Amino acid sequence: MAINIPIITSFVNKGVQAADKQLKAFGTSAKTVAGALGGFSLAVGTVQSVLGPAIKAASNMQESLSKVNVVFGKGAREVEKFADSAARNLGQSKQAVLEAAGVFGTFGKAAGLAGTDLATFSNDFTTLATDLASFNNTTPEEAVQAIGAALRGEAEPLRRFGVLLNDATLKQEALTLGIYDGKGALTAQQKILAAQAAIYKQTGDAQGDFMRTSDGLANSTRTLSAYWKDFQARLGASFLEKAETATLNINFLAQAFDKLPTPVQKSGSELGVFTDLLRN
């Protein structure tokens, strides 16, 4: 028997057309998803570049306030109030003043000060650091460190600001203050109080220099920078709680992922690679 093989003269391509249509649709969907993911990544990157530093500034502020509350106790509110106006009055951010307060407050407590007296000790030295920086064309941070070193017993860093401290000078100041009888070595408490008096006596020309020159370019720039840093911290404070919650959730997910079986973790990694391919 002869087998008749029909010669197909017209190709029926409905199935292929349907498959091609689906493939194109998948390609379009994939590009849409990739575009959406790319746009999302861009948005996240933009948010991170703006909010990231702001949230960090707010977090640093929270840590500094916590330290001030511990160190100053009842005098903490006075220090914070002083810091609130620092941008305008000192050309320093609130954060910078709180950090300085942490330095000076420790020495003030060692000298036996507390409450309002301790807050005044810190605020006055912070103001002096600003004036010394303005008068000597350096930074308040350097002045804070130099004063802190002097209170710690290291006289050299403060020499660049025109302050000369030695044992004889400190003993004379302690005698003048009535806290030393002229016999033996000074105690740590006596040294701090004597150094405080000597520093103020030797920095008369610099005191008040920031306000005298606040309209100059250098101090105007410092003031503008301080206002910007304060704004960043206030902006970040609005998102700090959400950022803390998100960080806790991410840590929880990361820990949960680490507990998954290796094949599941590998699948998750492959999914990430596939997503990257779609974006390209």
Side-chain angles (χ1 to χ4, degrees), residues 220-270:
S220 294
T221 301
R222 284 177 180 167
T223 299
L224 181 61
S225 175
Y227 275 124
W228 168 246
K229 290 176 182 177
D230 285 350
F231 169 76
Q232 274 191 311
R234 287 196 299 271
L235 175 64
S238 302
F239 297 90
L240 185 58
E241 184 177 351
K242 293 181 175 62
E244 291 172 343
T245 300
T247 301
L248 290 174
N249 290 337
I250 291 172
N251 286 337
F252 174 79
L253 290 175
Q255 293 172 11
F257 183 80
D258 286 340
K259 295 178 181 179
L260 292 174
T262 301
V264 177
Q265 293 186 18
K266 185 177 179 181
S267 298
S269 300
E270 292 173 348

Side-chain angles (χ1 to χ4, degrees), residues 31-56:
K31 289 180 180 179
T32 300
V33 172
L37 289 173
F40 178 74
S41 298
L42 179 61
V44 169
T46 301
V47 170
Q48 286 178 335
S49 65
V50 174
L51 290 185
I55 292 172
K56 183 178 180 180

Side-chain angles (χ1 to χ4, degrees), residues 14 53 58 63 82 89 120 129 150 175 189 217:
K14 290 183 179 179
E63 293 294 325
F82 174 76
N89 296 331
T120 300
L175 278 169
Q189 180 186 35
L217 179 61

Side-chain angles (χ1 to χ4, degrees), residues 148-267:
L151 297 176
R152 190 168 56 244
E154 300 174 17
E156 187 61 32
L158 206 52
R159 285 179 180 270
R160 63 181 294 196
F161 296 97
V163 178
L164 304 177
L165 298 177
N166 54 38
D167 189 59
T169 299
L170 293 178
K171 285 183 176 179
Q172 182 57 52
E173 291 296 340
L175 278 169
T176 302
L177 292 171
I179 59 175
Y180 175 61
D181 60 6
K183 300 177 182 179
L186 294 174
T187 65
Q189 180 186 35
Q190 290 169 335
K191 286 181 179 179
I192 292 172
L193 295 176
Q196 178 190 22
I199 290 169
Y200 281 111
K201 280 186 178 180
Q202 296 183 40
T203 57
D205 290 342
Q207 292 170 27
D209 191 74
F210 178 81
M211 293 304 295
R212 287 195 299 268
T213 60
S214 59
D215 292 335
L217 179 61
N219 285 337
S220 294
T221 301
R222 284 177 180 167
T223 299
L224 181 61
S225 175
Y227 275 124
W228 168 246
K229 290 176 182 177
D230 285 350
F231 169 76
Q232 274 191 311
R234 287 196 299 271
L235 175 64
S238 302
F239 297 90
L240 185 58
E241 184 177 351
K242 293 181 175 62
E244 291 172 343
T245 300
T247 301
L248 290 174
N249 290 337
I250 291 172
N251 286 337
F252 174 79
L253 290 175
Q255 293 172 11
F257 183 80
D258 286 340
K259 295 178 181 179
L260 292 174
T262 301
V264 177
Q265 293 186 18
K266 185 177 179 181
S267 298

